[in-house]
Amino acid sequence: MPRDIIYTSKAAKPPASYSQAVRAGGLIFVSGTAPHDPATGAIVGTTVQEQTRQCLNNISAILEAAGSSIDKIVSVTIVLADEDDFAGMNEEYIKWFPTDPPARQGAKLPARIAGLKVSIAAIAQA
């Protein structure tokens, strides 16, 4: 099965160890996406709501570059640094998916990264 590597400068540049996204089998697999500013690489926001918004802005840009969109997301994985931020993350998340939301799972960040509250991965239809 062929696969295409997706990259856009409109989302934060990933480290060399993974791609922003990969298109394969009619789906787009977006890597865990942190709330980094595409231009500076700095974390955007101090609240989990602001960081969730930036993660989803980055995912939206990646999906657009792949010829898809946020409304074609079928599954997301949300990774939080602190489980106490769940309600705040959900407050912003529901604005992006007010009806017919994608399947979702959550986890806790395995390591502390200064200032990072949330990371989101997604799978979307191509």
Side-chain angles (χ1 to χ4, degrees):
M1 162 182 10
R3 64 186 191 108
D4 299 314
I5 303 301
I6 308 300
Y7 175 78
T8 179
S9 61
K10 294 180 181 178
K13 184 177 181 181
S17 57
Y18 61 86
S19 301
Q20 284 176 329
V22 175
R23 180 181 22 240
L27 296 171
I28 300 162
F29 300 85
V30 180
S31 294
T33 303
H36 291 111
D37 179 279
T40 67
I43 291 176
V44 173
T46 57
T47 69
V48 73
Q49 292 91 334
E50 293 168 322
Q51 290 193 15
T52 299
R53 184 178 316 117
Q54 185 61 40
C55 289
L56 292 168
N57 280 329
N58 286 341
I59 289 169
S60 183
I62 293 165
L63 290 173
E64 184 178 306
S68 187
S69 64
I70 203 128
D71 62 320
K72 292 186 176 184
I73 292 177
V74 295
S75 180
V76 297
T77 300
I78 297 172
V79 183
L80 293 170
D82 184 344
E83 60 271 8
D84 291 339
D85 280 334
F86 181 82
M89 174 281 302
N90 217 37
E91 177 185 315
E92 180 63 29
Y93 180 89
I94 197 72
K95 294 175 185 176
W96 290 74
F97 305 102
T99 59
D100 301 323
R104 184 172 97 175
Q105 64 181 352
K108 187 165 168 118
L109 279 174
R112 288 269 182 210
I113 299 170
L116 184 70
K117 295 180 177 289
V118 62
S119 175
I120 301 174
I123 301 170
Q125 297 169 318

